[in-house]
Amino acid sequence: MNPLYASMPTTIFEKMSGLARETGSINLGQGFPDSNGPADVVAAAAAALTDASNQYPPMAGLAVLRQAVAGHYRHHQQIALDADREVIITSGATEALAASILALVSPGDTVLLFQPLYDAYLPLVLRAGGIPRFVRLEPPHWRLTAEALDAAFTPDVRLAILNNPLNPTASMFSAEELALLADRVVRNDAVVICDEVWEHVVFDGRRHVPLMALPGMRDRTVKIGSGGKIFSLTGWKVGWMCAAPRLAEPLSRAHQFLTFTTAPNLQAAVAHGLGKDDGYFTAMRADFARSRDRLVQGLGEAGYVTLPSAGTYFVPIDLAASGIMLDDAGFCDRLVRDHGVAAIPVSAFYAENPVTSVVRLCFAKRDETLDPAIGRLADARRAMAR
């Protein structure tokens, strides 16, 4: 048994979702909508299942999906990609992360990680033999500063992994922050894996800025996207890696020995979805923003103080500002066991020196899920606040 994996705890998502099932709680922890995705995209998957081939598709992905990814980013983000040489379809964004890290990290390489960080990053870096170095972000704004980057970016840094918009904080890095990062990457001849799965789930008129589009970053960025996040079909696990040929070549070699390929009917359906007009994406964002605002309003009326939610499916609560002196793990445990709502402690996303005063709630739910959850959260605050 490998001691690296034997010593790792169960993922916080599995733990809290398991407690939600065990206690019959409302699950606002794990980030998935309680809808079934766009009907036309689901129908396209069903049609492809019966009308198209169910045999191995090409290792890099169906041509129709690779072309759709390239066309989508050309239209929405003004990035020109060669569909044949710079787009690789993966079995979800997590497989894209695994392939990228295994391809680009050699034993002894220093890898820069920004915490709080998605929970797959660190174990994958360790498995590849990388040496993690952490940049700590703090509430309420989770800003990336020149001082922090200068302290972290020593010449031995070969790779950085960035998540933007950032799960679990629901924040977005500004164009100025991204420019600071790009400058250090170029100066240090490094590469960035940029996990941009939430790129379309942004609110209040914001627009996602892809790191790849910044000066000097076109040949230094692996851009990772997810059909599951774009279309609220998280169980489909259809993702992609976009990179210049010098990076895409080793990425494809790692990918072929992980999953090799992805269900062809789901690929065809995501290709259909990526071609939807701008109105779909505008309406999708507006619908999620309405749910976010409903949850934020209800929490505010219950006495909670929330942090800004610029993107993703999540709203963070500042426990201390809400009058709750418990740490986030203790609050989440009492919340699910005594009050019937599952949430996620943000400290679970730190490898060291965690922030322990913030919890994350998922708002990507129907009103009939959110409203009773808000009532239970109000009861919880009355019981736990001082």
Side-chain angles (χ1 to χ4, degrees):
M1 180 181 295
N2 188 305
L4 171 64
Y5 289 111
S7 64
M8 285 184 176
T10 301
T11 172
I12 191 65
F13 305 118
E14 182 62 25
K15 177 182 177 181
M16 297 311 298
S17 290
L19 281 171
R21 291 189 294 270
E22 178 185 321
T23 59
S25 296
I26 299 171
N27 191 352
L28 300 189
Q30 195 165 8
F32 59 88
D34 55 5
S35 65
N36 202 37
D40 62 321
V41 177
V42 174
L49 191 64
T50 56
D51 299 341
S53 173
N54 288 297
Q55 307 310 322
Y56 290 125
M59 181 267 288
L62 290 178
V64 67
L65 179 51
R66 287 184 280 119
Q67 290 162 3
V69 169
H72 186 83
Y73 287 139
R74 183 170 54 250
H75 174 70
H76 288 276
Q77 298 178 9
Q78 294 73 57
I79 299 174
L81 293 167
D82 184 327
D84 295 324
R85 302 175 64 219
E86 298 185 317
V87 180
I88 302 164
I89 307 306
T90 59
S91 293
T94 301
E95 195 244 313
L97 288 163
S100 300
I101 291 167
L102 292 174
L104 300 178
V105 177
S106 297
D109 285 351
T110 299
V111 180
L112 211 58
L113 299 170
F114 303 89
Q115 52 175 8
L117 69 165
Y118 180 60
D119 65 349
Y121 299 167
L122 180 57
L124 289 169
V125 167
L126 293 173
R127 176 69 275 182
I131 300 171
R133 180 176 298 159
F134 301 102
V135 176
R136 186 178 187 269
L137 307 178
E138 299 179 354
H141 301 298
W142 316 98
R143 293 293 182 227
L144 188 58
T145 67
E147 293 76 15
L149 286 172
D150 288 339
F153 251 112
T154 52
D156 59 329
V157 173
R158 307 309 317 136
L159 182 77
I161 303 176
L162 187 74
N163 181 207
N164 187 40
L166 180 57
N167 172 20
T169 67
S171 60
M172 293 176 66
F173 293 107
S174 67
E176 292 76 17
E177 290 170 287
L178 294 176
L180 289 173
L181 175 60
D183 174 73
R184 275 66 176 177
V185 169
V186 172
R187 277 199 268 153
N188 284 271
D189 192 26
V191 172
V192 180
I193 297 172
C194 201
D195 177 354
E196 299 185 346
V197 298
W198 299 104
E199 58 198 338
H200 275 295
V201 191
V202 299
F203 310 120
D204 307 320
R206 295 178 177 87
R207 291 187 63 83
H208 174 71
V209 177
L211 188 67
M212 180 180 275
L214 270 62
M217 295 305 296
R218 179 63 175 80
D219 295 332
R220 297 180 179 278
T221 304
V222 179
K223 176 178 171 61
I224 291 176
S226 167
K229 292 295 190 296
I230 292 174
F231 301 111
S232 303
L233 294 162
T234 59
W236 280 20
K237 305 297 290 180
V238 179
W240 46 82
M241 307 177 281
C242 304
R246 78 175 184 93
L247 297 175
E249 180 69 19
L251 300 183
S252 68
R253 297 294 174 259
H255 162 65
Q256 72 177 339
F257 294 119
L258 286 171
T259 61
F260 183 74
T261 192
T262 299
N265 70 305
L266 302 183
Q267 290 193 52
V270 171
H272 166 82
L274 289 174
K276 290 163 79 71
D277 63 31
D278 291 357
Y280 164 77
F281 299 97
T282 300
M284 177 268 288
R285 284 188 284 271
D287 188 53
F288 281 130
R290 188 198 64 80
S291 294
R292 177 202 61 175
D293 294 346
R294 190 181 190 93
L295 178 58
V296 168
Q297 180 179 345
L299 291 171
E301 291 171 353
Y304 288 99
V305 175
T306 58
L307 300 179
S309 173
T312 75
Y313 294 154
F314 310 116
V315 166
I317 293 176
D318 184 329
L319 293 177
S322 303
I324 297 170
M325 296 302 108
L326 290 171
D327 67 17
D328 58 348
F331 174 82
C332 287
D333 189 69
R334 284 189 60 181
L335 182 66
V336 69
R337 295 183 188 279
D338 298 343
H339 300 281
V341 178
I344 298 289
V346 168
S347 62
F349 299 89
Y350 285 81
E352 59 184 29
N353 193 19
V355 169
T356 60
S357 59
V358 179
V359 301
R360 190 195 83 175
L361 297 174
C362 176
F363 59 76
K365 308 293 181 182
R366 297 184 177 94
D367 293 352
E368 52 265 37
T369 302
L370 289 178
D371 290 348
I374 290 167
R376 296 180 187 188
L377 281 156
D379 292 340
R381 185 181 176 279
R382 284 191 289 270
M384 288 188 262
R386 294 183 180 178

